[in-house]
Amino acid sequence: MRAWANRLIASDQGFAISNMDMLERGSLDTEREAREGLAIGVRYTCFDGLEEFTVQWLNDEGDQEVRGYIVDHMATNAHRIPVYRKMVELEYTDTATSGDKRRRIEAMCEGTTVYRELKKLSVQEQMGSLGLGGPTVQIGTLEINVSKSGSKNINT
């Protein structure tokens, strides 16, 4: 029952703004289902000050499914709240992050500048794992210098 109540409280932005204390109490609930309901409800809710407790909630939350919903909220709103952007990047680049989790994060922030930044990070990681991560790429006798401005010089 608390799960549904928490979900409703968090999903209505106006109600959530005027009842921050209820959100905070919900994030500390001892029942996993109650915290999960709150996390699902807050996914698309965003207002100034919400990050003051969601960041701590993510850090303290032990249940991976509930954490996933909190990360959904942060990824959806990372283009609006700078601290969310950092948290999402950390979750995305965590070495324990699976491909499914990355795709979920990408889906939640698709169409935003954060999505493009995450895709760049992914490409950089892939290039690094192939030995192509520096400003100079050597393939056999072919050397490619790539500057940050995007210009390329190819020497053989």
Side-chain angles (χ1 to χ4, degrees):
M1 184 67 165
R2 286 196 316 267
W4 281 105
N6 285 344
R7 188 172 180 170
L8 286 172
I9 290 166
S11 65
D12 182 89
Q13 185 160 317
F15 194 80
I17 289 170
S18 58
N19 292 284
M20 276 289 291
D21 59 325
M22 292 177 82
L23 297 178
E24 291 179 41
R25 279 196 308 265
S27 72
L28 300 171
D29 199 301
T30 56
E31 277 191 39
R32 187 200 73 75
E33 291 82 11
R35 293 189 319 276
E36 179 183 48
L38 181 67
I40 291 170
V42 80
R43 281 188 297 181
Y44 301 106
T45 302
C46 186
F47 54 88
D48 288 337
L50 185 59
E51 71 278 6
E52 292 175 16
F53 96 93
T54 52
V55 170
Q56 189 61 48
W57 182 18
L58 180 66
N59 289 331
D60 294 343
E61 182 58 57
D63 185 272
Q64 291 305 307
E65 193 168 344
V66 175
R67 283 181 59 83
Y69 290 123
I70 300 167
V71 171
D72 287 351
H73 161 75
M74 290 180 171
T76 301
N77 298 291
H79 64 286
R80 296 181 185 139
I81 301 174
V83 71
Y84 281 1
R85 181 182 299 242
K86 289 291 182 196
M87 298 294 287
V88 167
E89 285 177 7
L90 287 171
E91 288 289 320
Y92 189 82
T93 58
D94 183 359
T95 56
T97 299
S98 69
D100 290 340
K101 185 175 180 182
R102 280 190 169 201
R103 284 188 291 281
R104 180 175 174 173
I105 291 170
E106 289 170 358
M108 296 306 290
C109 62
E110 189 171 6
T112 69
T113 56
V114 176
Y115 175 82
R116 289 188 297 275
E117 290 173 16
L118 294 178
K119 293 305 275 184
K120 284 180 190 176
L121 287 172
S122 180
V123 168
Q124 289 171 350
E125 286 176 347
Q126 291 171 12
M127 296 293 283
S129 68
L130 295 172
L132 304 173
T136 302
V137 177
Q138 185 80 33
I139 303 174
T141 60
L142 182 67
E143 182 180 285
I144 305 171
N145 293 312
V146 182
S147 72
K148 289 190 179 205
S149 66
S151 63
K152 299 167 189 71
N153 298 317
I154 302 175
N155 305 315
T156 56

